[in-house]
Amino acid sequence: MAKIGESELLAVEKLANKGSFQEWKFKVVILMRSSGVYNIALGTKKKPENTAEVKDYVKEVSDWEQKDALAQRIIVSTVEKRLVTHLLDCDTSAEMWTKLLGLFEQTTADS
C-alpha cells in the first residue's frame, strides 16, 4: 500500500459542487488506485468476516481497516469542509463514496 503525502492530497482541488465533481472524481480515483485502496472505497473488497476460509483473520481485518482509513483520508481531505457534514454518519470509505456519488453524480435524467 503506497503512502499518500500531503502534497498529493493538496494537488487535488477540493470538491465544491456538481460542477467540480467529474474532475475531482477522476483525480481521486487515480489517487486511490495508485494507493491500492480504490476497491475498498468502491465497496468491491469487503471487510473480511471471521470464517474458516480466512486463515489469518486478525491480520486480514487490520490490513483492510488500514486501507479503508487511507481511502477515508483521501476522500475527507479532498472535499470542502461544508461537505464533510454529509459524511459524518459514514463508517467506511465505501459509504462515503456512495454518499458523494449520490449527491453529485449526474444521471442521464440530469443531463
Side-chain angles (χ1 to χ4, degrees), residues 1 3 17 26 34 43 49 51 57-58 63-64 69 72 82 89 97 102 108-109:
M1 176 173 60
K3 296 215 180 232
N17 53 45
F26 176 75
S34 69
E49 295 182 17
T51 64
Y57 174 71
V58 173
D63 290 348
W64 185 92
Q72 288 183 46
R82 65 179 179 79
D89 62 341
W97 190 251
T108 52

Side-chain angles (χ1 to χ4, degrees), residues 57-68:
Y57 174 71
V58 173
K59 182 181 181 329
E60 293 281 327
V61 168
S62 177
D63 290 348
W64 185 92
E65 287 176 342
Q66 285 183 341
K67 288 180 178 181
D68 185 60

